[in-house]
Amino acid sequence: QVQLVESGGGLVQPGGSLRLSCAASGILFRLYAINWYRQAPGKQRELVAHVSYGGSTNYADSVKGRFTIFRDNAKNTVYLQMNSLSPEDTAVYYCNAAGLGVSHWGQGTQVTVSS
């Protein structure tokens, strides 16, 4: 059974940092690209960051220079380091594993940026 379990969300003040984790099981992790998406209330889900199976990365313009995605294949885990957070980053963040013709989603973790 495939599972993607996100953790690390919470409430943080503007300018603060959080590190999200996505732990995968039931897949050959190293063969999958991993994406972080987010969905704010009333908005469409958007792609935030991507790391390929080879380790190359891409980011949405809105988070470039603030967010870093990296993977640890030995731990079947991908991380999203988020710095300089602003209220506009408030959303549910979802982990997505894509590869071998399939796509898997986690349940999401809430990130709230507020003073």
Side-chain angles (χ1 to χ4, degrees), residues 38 48-49 59 62-69 80-86 89 93:
R38 67 184 180 188
V48 173
Y59 299 92
S62 59
V63 306
K64 279 181 182 176
R66 300 188 299 121
F67 289 13
T68 303
I69 186 171
L80 185 67
Q81 177 66 42
M82 306 187 296
N83 298 328
S84 302
L85 286 162
S86 71
D89 297 314
Y93 284 71

Side-chain angles (χ1 to χ4, degrees), residues 5-26:
V5 179
E6 300 101 331
S7 61
L11 174 64
V12 64
Q13 291 187 341
S17 298
L18 283 175
R19 177 178 290 188
L20 306 183
S21 300
C22 171
S25 60

Side-chain angles (χ1 to χ4, degrees), residues 49-110:
H50 162 91
V51 60
S52 73
Y53 69 89
S56 59
T57 59
N58 282 294
Y59 299 92
D61 287 344
S62 59
V63 306
K64 279 181 182 176
R66 300 188 299 121
F67 289 13
T68 303
I69 186 171
F70 55 101
R71 64 191 299 158
D72 184 342
N73 288 343
K75 295 183 178 180
N76 284 5
T77 301
V78 168
Y79 304 93
L80 185 67
Q81 177 66 42
M82 306 187 296
N83 298 328
S84 302
L85 286 162
S86 71
E88 289 70 34
D89 297 314
T90 295
V92 178
Y93 284 71
Y94 297 91
C95 177
N96 165 261
L100 304 178
V102 297
S103 181
H104 305 287
W105 291 89
Q107 82 288 348
T109 185
Q110 176 70 47

Side-chain angles (χ1 to χ4, degrees), residues 17-35:
S17 298
L18 283 175
R19 177 178 290 188
L20 306 183
S21 300
C22 171
S25 60
I27 60 173
L28 202 54
F29 182 77
R30 68 179 187 275
L31 298 183
Y32 282 74
I34 306 295
N35 305 293

